[in-house]
Amino acid sequence: MSQAEASRKTLAFAALLLGAAAIAFAPIFVRLSDTAPGASAFWRVVSEHRVNALFTAPTAVRAIKREDPSAELTKNFDLSSLRALFL
């Protein structure tokens, strides 16, 4: 089993054991055009689904920081539900 497979299984089963829902989301941070979602897609999912705990890789955080260093995109979304960020 690859590390990616193990990570997905851990995400799914940990949420089920806690009686929580899990959203598996793999955003693409490479901006192919002005219409590509980029880092804003990450915050849109948190806002729309009222995510309260976010498990992500440090690579994703670095990609967001590279695209939006001053975190301006977060101002466009309601992130009040987000209580924890796990790297």
Side-chain angles (χ1 to χ4, degrees), residues 16-73:
L16 291 174
L17 287 172
L18 295 172
I23 300 170
F25 177 63
I28 297 174
F29 291 106
V30 177
R31 299 275 309 188
L32 301 175
S33 69
D34 289 339
T35 59
S40 65
F42 210 82
W43 304 124
R44 180 185 50 79
V45 169
V46 171
S47 178
E48 286 180 7
H49 297 283
R50 309 289 301 149
V51 171
N52 57 34
L54 181 61
F55 294 81
T56 190
T59 305
V61 175
R62 285 192 294 271
I64 291 170
K65 190 173 181 179
R66 184 177 56 243
E67 184 178 325
D68 184 25
S70 59
E72 289 295 317
L73 291 174

